[in-house]
Amino acid sequence: MTLTATKFTPEVLLSAPRRSPAVPNAKGTKALFTATTYSFETHRKTSQIRMLDIQSGQSTLLVDDLSASEPTWIGDDEFLYLKTGDKGNTTVLVDKTARPGSQAYEVTTIKARISNIKIKELPNGTVAFVCSASTTPDGQLSNPVTAKKPYSSAKVYTSLFVRHWDEWLGEDKNSLWYTALEKKNGRFTLAGRSLVNALAGSKLESPVPPFGGTGDFDISSTGLVFVAKDPELNPAIYTKTDLYYVPLKNFIEEQPPSPKIVETPGLEGYTNSPVFSHCGCKVAFTRMKSKQYESDKPRLMLLPDISDLSKTEEFFATDDGEGAWDYRPEGILWSADDKSLYVTAEKNARVRLWEVPSNPADAKDTPTIVKTADGSVNDVRLLAEADSSSKLLVSTTSLVDNSCYSIVDPSSNTTDIISSNSKQGKTFGLSRSCIGDITFKGAGDYDVHALVVRPSNFDEKKKYPLCFLIHGGPQGAWQDGWSNRWNPAVFAEQGYVVVSPNPTGSTGYGMALQNGIKGQWGGRPYEDLVKAFEHIEKNMPYVDTDKAVALGASYGGYMINWIQGHPLGRKFKALVCHDGVFSTLNQWGSEELFFPIHDFEGTIYDNRAGYEKWDPAQHVNEWATPQLIIHSELDYRLPITEGLAPFNILQSKGIPSKLVMFPDENHEMTFKKLSSEHQPVLPRHHHLLFLLTPGSSHSGLKEP
């Protein structure tokens, strides 16, 4: 951090350096990471590849180039990275950490954009290299920059899934490509052809768009495993993704074997996070049960023998099919001796690290939580591959720190912080004393938890206006983790006490609370939020609930519109709806139709009453509170009309209101339409941070 702030403002948030998780070398002495910044003076983005010295905690600049990305160790002192070119090309470079820049050399240049690289040293001394790239229908690398342009802009479709997230779908698909590198005369070169399409002729796509990456596949000395949608099911209606295996001996095979499916009887939902054991003979992964519920509980799975794809085992399996562990495993790491798995899973607003025996038969008890730094784990690596003690390099974030690297020793359950980007919040003027928790009774016989963020200069004898945040999903949660999109500390530092409830539908509190939202969008969650407000009124005397504003995006935006038409809406001086749902009857204008089919218990033509029951548009006659609406025209998840319609109603009724529309952004505002040279590193919902600064002339809404 070069920036020191006495007060955490939106400008500080946006200009603070942002670090990727740290990746150690094989000896565990150094770690690679990237750091990006945005300057308000030049309105430019910078991007660096840096090396962290594990012992001292000091970092060294290796590459300072906006077009450089994905640094990957290819030895204890050498690293490989990608550099994008003007004509849609990608150059693979290798450099040394001892004299960065002066010894960098080109391995190969690919005439296409490649990404998501993984490498693995093979027994014959070569290095397997796998990446993803856009691929034409005939299995060739796709380069939109140099491809022949069509004479017409028309797009014609005869089946479902015509657009996804922010793009109208075309014929090109993601595919995994491989090759091998060998070292000659001190330099790495290609051992075979440039790249071979591992999925050629299979109709499979991996990584799975729009968010798939390196977590969708893994490599070992035995071959490649990856996840892909079932090509026989329509992706607009079904979530089913399967695990596939391609055996490869040396990664230079010009005709790869056809991918073979890994069988998981009774489980037909999303598959995620496949990871080979160190021996290369086993694979751990997660699998959901339902093929139409995107937020179903992931089950921790094991393929015990890569030579037999018909036999998989489920951890914590029970006769009723629900599973004995009530949390949601996500990331997976094998211990150095392959005897344990380190798994990340959310619990009570924190992503924790858990240790599980790698043999499902031995996993009879509840997994053990491994102590980590405050906040939430976002990455975990073995500190040293050959070290049987299995110390871990863990990357975390929290509500006050945007990047923390620490060494975790599971055997002693100790954590040693080696680098904090913000000195654990001090650089931002924040500290853990700003953070709190409250718990209260929900609409039924269950507790609801909420995070509380107070101003850094908080005085319990004073009163502060309330910022009431409602999360999206709806199967999601506010976490004790950093956000460049909705950052509670930014609101708190403007003089609010921020309360972020996790009501019915929230993840991390067991599947009963999460699944309780099905068919209940405006029911139990709304009542839980009413209970939250009542708890604040009765038990938090330093909060002035007569001066309160409520904000939400996506499902949170739905709830804002629902609150607007119900009694809780009269408790707030202003409401903010960001890319939210105006009418549930319009859910079939979305793209992933499996979502409303699950949450509203059927299709709109089979269960119209289920959609109508929780429709905010049914209650517009009650709307009365001033409201800010923010919406994006490239939001194909919730089309722009979901923002225009409520704004038109507010204006027609004479209710103070403002519409902020972004013509080139999507559901999460990624700023992809800006050139890479001038693209700012901004949170996806960053505009909201400025629009709600109390007294700001931007908002058109008076301070509560």
Side-chain angles (χ1 to χ4, degrees):
M1 285 285 299
T2 58
L3 176 72
T4 300
T6 56
K7 185 175 182 180
F8 189 52
T9 65
E11 290 83 0
V12 173
L13 170 68
L14 302 184
S15 57
R18 302 179 187 185
R19 307 192 305 188
S20 67
V23 180
N25 61 359
K27 291 183 179 179
T29 57
K30 308 169 184 176
L32 292 171
F33 66 94
T34 60
T36 57
T37 58
Y38 175 74
S39 169
F40 277 93
E41 294 181 358
T42 64
H43 294 287
R44 289 179 181 270
K45 170 184 176 178
T46 63
S47 180
Q48 298 179 341
I49 297 173
R50 302 188 69 89
M51 182 189 70
L52 177 74
D53 181 270
I54 298 295
Q55 185 173 6
S56 69
Q58 300 299 310
S59 72
T60 302
L61 175 64
L62 300 179
V63 181
D64 189 356
D65 188 340
L66 195 59
S67 64
S69 65
E70 301 199 37
T72 305
W73 291 108
I74 197 166
D76 279 318
D77 296 302
E78 289 183 291
F79 65 101
L80 176 151
Y81 65 97
L82 303 181
K83 181 178 173 64
T84 56
D86 295 336
K87 296 182 178 180
N89 298 338
T90 307
T91 299
V92 181
L93 297 167
V94 169
D95 202 352
K96 291 187 176 181
T97 59
R99 295 176 60 191
S102 61
Q103 302 181 57
Y105 64 88
E106 177 183 328
V107 178
T108 186
T109 293
I110 311 298
K111 294 182 178 180
R113 290 278 193 255
I114 66 171
S115 60
N116 299 313
I117 59 174
K118 278 191 175 182
I119 63 174
K120 174 73 175 180
E121 185 175 351
L122 301 177
N124 63 5
T126 63
V127 176
F129 177 98
V130 178
C131 65
S132 67
S134 181
T135 306
T136 63
D138 61 354
Q140 303 302 309
L141 286 169
S142 172
N143 188 337
V145 177
T146 59
K148 183 179 179 180
K149 302 300 186 289
Y151 293 108
S152 171
S153 61
K155 297 181 182 294
V156 180
Y157 300 90
T158 58
S159 64
L160 272 177
F161 224 42
V162 300
R163 62 184 191 178
H164 198 195
W165 200 248
D166 58 5
E167 293 183 349
W168 289 85
L169 298 185
E171 293 183 327
D172 293 350
K173 306 293 183 184
N174 291 338
S175 193
L176 296 172
W177 296 74
Y178 66 83
T179 188
L181 308 178
E182 59 182 345
K183 204 166 191 178
K184 292 183 178 180
N185 301 319
R187 292 192 171 197
F188 284 97
T189 61
L190 295 179
R193 283 180 50 186
S194 178
L195 287 175
V196 178
N197 185 358
L199 279 56
S202 67
K203 298 183 180 180
L204 299 174
E205 181 176 20
S206 187
V208 180
F211 304 119
T214 54
D216 279 3
F217 67 95
D218 199 23
I219 56 176
S220 76
S221 57
T222 63
L224 166 70
V225 289
F226 65 92
V227 299
K229 288 270 192 178
D230 186 333
E232 302 304 318
L233 294 179
N234 193 296
I237 302 294
Y238 299 100
T239 61
K240 187 171 184 280
T241 57
D242 294 301
L243 182 63
Y244 295 87
Y245 173 55
V246 179
L248 297 169
K249 294 182 179 179
N250 52 32
F251 285 80
I252 60 173
E253 296 95 326
E254 294 192 8
Q255 296 294 329
S258 298
K260 304 297 182 183
I261 194 168
V262 176
E263 298 179 18
T264 56
L267 302 177
E268 298 184 307
Y270 278 131
T271 303
N272 284 300
S273 306
V275 184
F276 274 108
S277 60
H278 291 89
C279 66
C281 58
K282 303 177 181 180
V283 180
F285 61 103
T286 66
R287 186 82 200 245
M288 294 182 183
K289 185 176 183 179
S290 171
K291 61 183 177 182
Q292 284 191 313
Y293 184 19
E294 67 173 355
S295 299
D296 198 6
K297 182 174 74 171
R299 317 299 177 96
L300 187 61
M301 304 291 295
L302 177 70
L303 176 63
D305 185 353
I306 196 67
S307 65
D308 186 355
L309 307 183
S310 66
K311 295 181 180 179
T312 53
E313 301 174 19
E314 180 181 343
F315 290 79
F316 311 109
T318 56
D319 292 339
D320 62 5
E322 295 301 318
W325 194 32
D326 206 22
Y327 295 106
R328 303 169 50 88
E330 296 176 353
I332 303 171
L333 175 73
W334 290 82
S335 64
D337 58 9
D338 284 345
K339 292 183 179 180
S340 296
L341 298 176
Y342 297 107
V343 180
T344 58
E346 181 185 11
K347 180 182 180 182
N348 296 351
R350 278 92 181 172
V351 178
R352 310 300 297 269
L353 183 64
W354 312 71
E355 184 173 4
V356 183
S358 62
N359 183 356
D362 297 330
K364 298 178 181 179
D365 300 322
T366 301
T368 302
I369 293 180
V370 179
K371 182 181 179 181
T372 57
D374 288 334
S376 294
V377 176
N378 65 349
D379 191 78
V380 56
R381 311 273 177 155
L382 288 177
L383 182 61
E385 290 287 344
D387 185 356
S388 60
S389 66
S390 289
K391 286 186 179 180
L392 308 173
L393 180 60
V394 178
S395 299
T396 58
T397 73
S398 73
L399 282 166
V400 299
D401 190 3
N402 66 350
S403 174
C404 180
Y405 305 146
S406 58
I407 296 175
V408 172
D409 187 347
S411 62
S412 61
N413 208 26
T414 57
T415 298
D416 180 19
I417 294 175
I418 57 175
S419 176
S420 169
N421 200 32
S422 67
K423 298 181 180 178
Q424 296 178 277
K426 292 181 181 178
T427 311
F428 296 142
L430 304 174
S431 69
R432 291 300 298 180
S433 64
C434 301
I435 312 304
D437 300 76
I438 59 172
T439 302
F440 51 90
K441 283 295 180 183
D445 187 21
Y446 55 86
D447 290 334
V448 175
H449 171 252
L451 290 168
V452 178
V453 181
R454 298 176 288 266
S456 57
N457 60 354
F458 175 73
D459 182 348
E460 64 179 7
K461 297 179 181 179
K462 296 181 179 179
K463 276 188 172 288
Y464 299 84
L466 170 67
C467 178
F468 194 76
L469 298 182
I470 306 172
H471 69 68
Q475 292 86 2
W478 295 114
Q479 295 179 351
D480 185 359
W482 192 260
S483 175
N484 291 318
R485 295 166 55 197
W486 283 62
N487 192 300
V490 168
F491 297 118
E493 289 299 88
Q494 308 308 314
Y496 292 95
V497 166
V498 182
V499 178
S500 307
N502 285 327
T504 295
S506 299
T507 55
Y509 301 90
M511 294 305 294
L513 186 74
Q514 177 187 314
N515 292 338
I517 198 171
K518 183 178 181 180
Q520 279 284 320
W521 263 38
R524 277 181 53 181
Y526 171 77
E527 295 300 330
D528 290 345
L529 295 175
V530 171
K531 297 288 186 181
F533 197 91
E534 292 174 348
H535 178 89
I536 296 167
E537 286 181 308
K538 296 177 182 178
N539 299 282
M540 300 174 71
Y542 52 86
V543 177
D544 187 350
T545 53
D546 289 332
K547 295 181 178 179
V549 60
L551 314 83
S554 195
Y555 171 80
Y558 160 86
M559 184 54 72
I560 290 295
N561 289 334
W562 183 260
I563 285 173
Q564 176 72 275
H566 289 80
L568 184 57
R570 308 294 79 78
K571 297 283 189 177
F572 297 101
K573 297 297 184 183
L575 301 171
V576 180
C577 173
H578 188 138
D579 284 15
V581 176
F582 168 64
S583 176
T584 51
L585 297 179
N586 296 336
Q587 284 288 286
W588 278 61
S590 187
E591 8 88 294
E592 294 180 343
L593 298 177
F594 50 75
F595 175 71
I597 289 174
H598 174 270
D599 274 26
F600 293 99
E601 302 180 297
T603 65
I604 194 169
Y605 42 88
D606 288 330
N607 185 28
R608 184 181 180 88
Y611 289 75
E612 291 178 337
K613 184 176 183 180
W614 307 118
D615 186 0
Q618 300 270 25
H619 305 278
V620 293
N621 57 309
E622 301 296 330
W623 287 24
T625 301
Q627 184 164 333
L628 170 65
I629 295 174
I630 307 170
H631 219 99
S632 307
E633 194 156 16
L634 292 185
D635 183 354
Y636 297 160
R637 178 61 46 88
L638 294 173
I640 186 66
T641 50
E642 293 295 279
L644 289 172
F647 176 68
N648 291 345
I649 288 171
L650 290 163
Q651 287 286 304
S652 297
K653 296 190 70 173
I655 300 171
S657 51
K658 176 175 278 192
L659 170 67
V660 179
M661 188 278 288
F662 296 97
D664 55 357
E665 300 299 337
N666 62 27
H667 193 60
E668 290 192 340
M669 291 194 177
T670 57
F671 292 85
K672 68 174 188 175
K673 295 301 181 183
L674 298 179
S675 69
S676 59
E677 180 182 3
H678 298 92
Q679 181 176 351
V681 187
L682 300 176
R684 293 171 175 176
H685 291 320
H686 84 284
H687 301 87
L688 186 61
L689 305 180
F690 292 99
L691 291 164
L692 282 181
T693 302
S696 168
S697 61
H698 295 285
S699 69
L701 298 173
K702 294 182 179 179
E703 179 181 354

